[in-house]
Amino acid sequence: EDESMIAAFRYIEAVAPTSQPVFVTGETGVGKELIAQAIHRASRREGRFVPVNVAGLDDAMFSDTFFGHVRGAYTSASDRREGLIEQAAGGTLFLDEIGDLTLSSQVKLLRLLQEKEYLPLGADRPRTTDARIVAATNREVRKRVLEGTFREDLYFRLVTHHVRIPPLRERIGDLPGLLNHFLKRAATALEREPPTPARELITYLAAYDYPGNVRELEAM
């Protein structure tokens, strides 16, 4: 209900119908994957929402996971593997922690964004995709561009549409709604009636700065 989040959702509604990438930024725990799911729903795309965390994937693992491989691509490849980009056909591929992607993998992602083409491991001909890319990070990617660890051309491709999710301390107006949501969820899991919090609770909660954001509030 906070105005900053309402503004973000209005922007999402405006850009969701396009096929262009969306870049979602925000601190850890603000709900970037939930925002990516909201973009997918608002887009009305008929395909699946396919999430993947790219942090820690080396180039070979990224290629195999992302693009898949054909039978015989390498010694143990006894069967064809469908990559995540194929699973997201007609839908949305959500790349979390994009700021940690290796430079060599960044080149492959850039080609995908530019040409809508990808090459499964061991394949002779490129394949095309209509999957929409939504990427997210809690890192300062612009700083990584200046440091030379993130490609500038890829950065500008990804930020065609940019959604910044404000930290919880900047949208305290959402506290009552979030508190009631998490209390109801916990009560359902415990098969009990939702408790009625004391009126002072919101005042106490609003005085905290939530370094872990909404995820930390849920844990509380």
Side-chain angles (χ1 to χ4, degrees), residues 62 66-67 103-120 124-129 133 151 153-154 157:
F62 171 82
F66 201 62
F67 303 126
L103 282 169
S104 52
S105 295
Q106 289 174 34
V107 174
K108 296 174 183 176
L109 179 58
L110 178 63
R111 176 174 176 77
L112 179 74
L113 292 173
Q114 288 178 334
E115 310 296 337
K116 293 292 186 180
E117 289 184 348
Y118 66 98
L119 192 68
D124 297 325
R125 296 180 180 178
R127 297 175 183 171
T128 59
T129 180
I133 301 294
R151 292 182 62 98
D153 46 6
L154 176 58
R157 279 280 176 182

Side-chain angles (χ1 to χ4, degrees), residues 18-23 113 116 132-135 157-162:
T18 76
S19 61
Q20 296 163 332
V22 182
F23 199 46
L113 292 173
K116 293 292 186 180
R132 205 259 190 86
I133 301 294
V134 177
R157 279 280 176 182
L158 290 172
V159 296
T160 303
H161 301 299
H162 182 194

